[in-house]
Amino acid sequence: MHPTDFTLAGAIVALDEGAISAVELTRAHVDAMEALNPRLNAFITTTPEAALEAAKQSDAKRARGEAGRLEGIPLAIKDLFCTEGVQTTAGSKILGGFIPPYESTVTSQLKRDGAVFLGKANLDEFAMGSSNLTSAYGGVVNPWSRRNDPDVRLVPGGSSGGSAAAVAARMALGATGTDTGGSIRQPAAFCGIAGIKPTYGRCSRFGIVAFASSLDQAGPFARTVEDCAILLRSMAGFDPKDSTSADKPVPDFSRACTRSVKGLRIGVPKEYRLDGTPPEIERLWRQGLDWLREAGAEIVDITLPHTKYALPTYYIVAPAEASSNLARYDGVRFGLRVAEKDSDLRDLYERTREAGFGQEVRRRIMIGTYVLSAGYYDAYYLKAQKVRALIARDFTQAFGQVDAILTPATPSAAFAEGENSDDPIKMYLNDVFTVTANLAGLPGLSVPAGLDGQGLPLGLQVIGRPFDEETVFAVGAAIERAAEFKALPAIRAGL
Amino acid sequence: MSLDTATVRRVAALARIRLPEEEVARVQGELNGILGWIEQLQAVDTDGVKPMAGGTPQGIAAMPLRDDVVTDGGIAEKVLANAPDREGVYFGVPKVVE
């Protein structure tokens, strides 16, 4: 067995038993990264020497009996997490060369538990995108390809496309991501792996480059549901540096993966049956419900009447918050500065931001600026916050009847570069099934469940009650067991 | 609601993003496309609905404040480490006062 074939849970056992050392495990992943990254562009920055050094220390700690929960496990870190001493770009030119003097809380907790960082994974610029094509460092290639058209380059999804591709291609055993409107769940589905956005507040946002503060939430990617559970346990927890992080105990999520779903009530929202959804996705959804029924769950029809307003609400709230968060990129304190010889301060701001932000980011900042501007605030921003409250209330009412909700993760399998990029609204529709969980602050898990006619992976999404990730993991693991998803991408390590 | 070119220029100025003249028409088209699409929210009856401000799920207590004390400080070199321009322990910017 090649060392990159381990699951994360399996690798921990192998390390504990001495079947492999952390250095050997890390070396195999570093080799995979060096061989495959030129083709996939999943990493913006790689740190192989630091990874091998950390692995060496992990082996020493394990020998002393001081192994942490993730001791020696090689991970990819989305380049939106500030990592002390390692360039952090947010996928943008405007942060080129920025070396944070501090560490994000999530990554510091992963390090505390012994994880080894391989490098910083590519992403859509400032996490704005559903394809990874808006990265200033180039798009990521999905390691999967169409059976009948293997030469077409498919996108890995976004914004955490580099993280998802790195895990799918076995360059890393797991990865961090962030999810503002679906940026973990959609790329997980497109790359045939698992990914969870936990409840808003479960993970600290301190040290994560902010996009839309009331929607952003960190979460893990891995190849199994249990592996995600193991990672989330390390990532989660209260942080006094983030007043929106929740002061709640962090359960052992991996134990929940073995829970029975017998007697659970699973909701099927009728509003998620959209016109134009490919029949394969409808079929997979029905299949998922059948699996849960066979495992003893009860399927219940529910209604989430404001679903159709979720995306337009998101495209007011997120740009509004982004326009405010991205005001700090002005060429003064860090990152790029563009000035002409006779530039005044305002000209310096405007030139820096024109040159430093890509087209999608500029577009969203301008939308946000407009909807917050005098005279339009009530009509757009305040209205969107009220609709958001109705969307959240729909879920509260639904969770009076059910314990979890099952939906498709995405409206299609991975698409090709250029297929949706001519029309921003068409691109935004990729997040149609995921964005509601961000607006309501709820946990959502994407689990690979089948293949489409072209042999591309499709995911199902489990949405749960606030801070009830345990039920989400239980339902996701039940689907995973039933689906027996074994397909692998064409491009991967260990071949 | 449709943005005219003057409003597009004004929004760009408020956002502190230089908008070259030859791009005004393209940006106007894109913004109007998106604003036209989000216009559908006006159809939702939100009378008496309290706006949801933060991201915390409804009914969950939130947002503890920590004590208003300095938790670090004296790290001017760290703060300035990424500055594109500096003078002493200050960020350097073009002259703003004559």
Side-chain angles (χ1 to χ4, degrees):
Chain A
M1 176 178 166
H2 196 267
T4 56
D5 289 340
F6 281 115
T7 61
L8 193 152
I12 292 172
V13 173
L15 287 163
D16 284 344
E17 289 175 346
I20 194 167
S21 70
V23 168
E24 288 165 335
L25 187 65
T26 299
R27 166 59 67 190
H29 285 91
V30 165
D31 289 347
M33 184 168 73
E34 284 174 350
L36 297 177
N37 199 49
R39 289 171 75 184
L40 298 177
N41 199 29
F43 289 89
I44 293 173
T45 305
T46 59
T47 55
E49 294 85 13
L52 288 164
E53 180 54 38
K56 215 166 110 189
Q57 289 178 22
S58 279
D59 281 331
K61 276 169 79 184
R62 187 167 256 109
R64 291 197 303 269
E66 294 167 6
R69 210 174 268 152
L70 295 171
E71 199 65 60
I73 297 296
L75 301 179
I77 302 299
K78 185 179 187 179
D79 202 15
L80 200 65
F81 291 78
C82 287
T83 42
E84 189 174 356
V86 177
Q87 170 178 257
T88 299
T89 71
S92 182
K93 272 196 288 191
I94 211 163
L95 267 175
F98 173 65
I99 298 178
Y102 55 91
E103 186 81 23
S104 82
T105 297
V106 162
T107 51
S108 74
Q109 290 178 183
L110 290 168
K111 278 186 176 169
R112 171 201 69 201
D113 289 350
V116 168
F117 294 173
L118 297 162
K120 305 298 288 290
N122 205 341
L123 69 156
D124 279 299
E125 184 176 5
F126 284 104
M128 296 179 189
S130 306
S131 64
N132 216 298
L133 295 172
T134 74
S135 170
Y137 301 85
V140 174
V141 175
N142 191 323
W144 293 78
S145 45
R146 289 178 183 151
R147 196 180 288 140
N148 299 335
D149 210 353
D151 296 331
V152 172
R153 283 156 59 108
L154 304 178
V155 304
S159 66
S160 316
S163 298
V167 172
R170 308 197 158 185
M171 289 188 271
L173 280 175
T176 64
T178 63
D179 189 315
T180 304
S183 283
I184 290 174
R185 291 159 287 159
Q186 186 249 18
F190 278 12
C191 292
I193 59 171
I196 182 170
K197 177 199 92 76
T199 312
Y200 184 84
R202 189 56 107 170
C203 293
S204 168
R205 291 181 298 106
F206 175 80
I208 301 173
V209 174
F211 162 15
S213 305
S214 79
L215 300 161
D216 300 344
Q217 186 60 204
F221 288 94
R223 290 197 293 270
T224 70
V225 173
E226 183 194 15
D227 288 357
C228 284
I230 293 169
L231 286 171
L232 183 60
R233 189 179 181 189
S234 283
M235 293 167 69
F238 175 64
D239 176 12
K241 290 174 180 162
D242 173 6
S243 68
T244 64
S245 89
D247 195 359
K248 288 188 172 289
V250 178
D252 180 353
F253 296 119
S254 54
R255 280 177 56 187
C257 297
T258 59
R259 268 191 203 171
S260 164
V261 297
K262 203 170 160 61
L264 285 184
R265 296 166 64 89
I266 307 296
V268 190
K270 65 169 193 235
E271 291 81 6
Y272 283 58
R273 296 209 174 89
L274 302 177
D275 292 342
T277 305
E280 312 171 292
I281 286 181
E282 293 275 351
R283 210 158 35 232
L284 183 76
W285 193 10
R286 273 200 305 276
Q287 175 71 74
L289 294 168
D290 286 344
W291 285 328
L292 293 174
R293 201 180 284 114
E294 282 158 26
E298 185 188 342
I299 309 303
V300 180
D301 287 322
I302 58 167
T303 175
L304 298 167
H306 295 89
T307 298
K308 71 180 265 207
Y309 300 110
L311 269 176
T313 300
Y314 177 83
Y315 277 96
I316 294 174
V317 172
E321 295 182 10
S323 74
S324 168
N325 276 323
L326 271 56
R328 72 191 63 164
Y329 303 99
D330 56 8
V332 172
R333 286 162 303 158
F334 37 72
L336 183 77
R337 169 180 291 194
V338 178
E340 297 286 291
K341 205 165 123 279
D342 51 355
S343 278
D344 60 11
L345 188 58
R346 181 167 177 143
D347 187 59
L348 180 153
Y349 293 155
E350 293 188 347
R351 285 182 188 277
T352 298
R353 288 162 65 81
E354 183 209 0
F357 290 136
Q359 206 177 93
E360 181 63 29
V361 174
R362 293 202 301 265
R363 181 153 60 211
R364 294 201 200 186
I365 290 174
M366 288 184 64
I367 288 283
T369 302
Y370 179 68
V371 300
L372 291 176
S373 66
Y376 301 100
Y377 181 93
D378 285 4
Y380 286 110
Y381 187 63
L382 194 65
K383 182 78 181 180
Q385 283 184 310
K386 288 180 180 175
V387 180
R388 183 177 182 181
L390 293 174
I391 290 165
R393 194 174 74 190
D394 286 352
F395 277 104
T396 306
Q397 286 169 352
F399 282 120
Q401 303 168 56
V402 298
D403 302 296
I405 294 169
L406 190 76
T407 77
T410 59
S412 74
F415 50 89
E417 289 180 14
E419 262 175 12
N420 288 327
S421 44
D422 50 332
D423 176 359
I425 294 169
K426 204 169 155 197
M427 186 68 90
Y428 298 168
L429 290 171
N430 269 289
D431 296 332
V432 67
F433 295 127
T434 47
V435 73
T436 51
N438 300 82
L439 290 167
L442 304 172
L445 168 76
S446 176
V447 53
L451 297 174
D452 78 349
Q454 288 275 16
L456 296 178
L458 297 172
L460 288 171
Q461 175 182 226
V462 184
I463 301 172
R465 293 192 179 97
F467 298 104
D468 187 18
E469 286 86 359
E470 289 171 281
T471 299
V472 172
F473 279 122
V475 174
I479 291 171
E480 185 179 54
R481 281 192 296 273
E484 294 183 11
F485 184 86
K486 294 277 194 302
L488 292 169
I491 301 177
R492 65 179 194 276
L495 286 177
Chain B
M1 186 80 55
S2 187
L3 304 190
D4 57 20
T5 53
T7 309
V8 171
R9 286 192 200 94
R10 184 170 154 269
V11 171
L14 285 172
R16 301 288 186 269
I17 296 173
R18 202 174 80 99
L19 186 62
E21 208 41 51
E22 63 273 18
E23 286 188 25
V24 171
R26 180 182 55 80
V27 172
Q28 182 185 15
E30 287 172 1
L31 297 188
N32 278 327
I34 295 166
L35 288 169
W37 174 63
I38 59 186
E39 201 67 36
Q40 57 179 297
L41 290 192
Q42 303 311 326
V44 187
D45 179 4
T46 52
D47 281 355
V49 177
K50 213 173 134 219
M52 179 173 170
T56 304
Q58 290 178 326
I60 309 272
M63 305 250 210
L65 296 177
R66 63 188 152 91
D67 293 337
D68 186 15
V69 293
V70 176
T71 54
D72 58 11
I75 51 169
E77 285 308 317
K78 273 188 162 188
V79 172
L80 285 158
N82 286 286
D85 186 24
R86 60 181 286 182
E87 292 200 22
V89 288
Y90 303 100
F91 294 104
V93 292
K95 195 169 169 181
V96 279
V97 182
E98 284 305 318

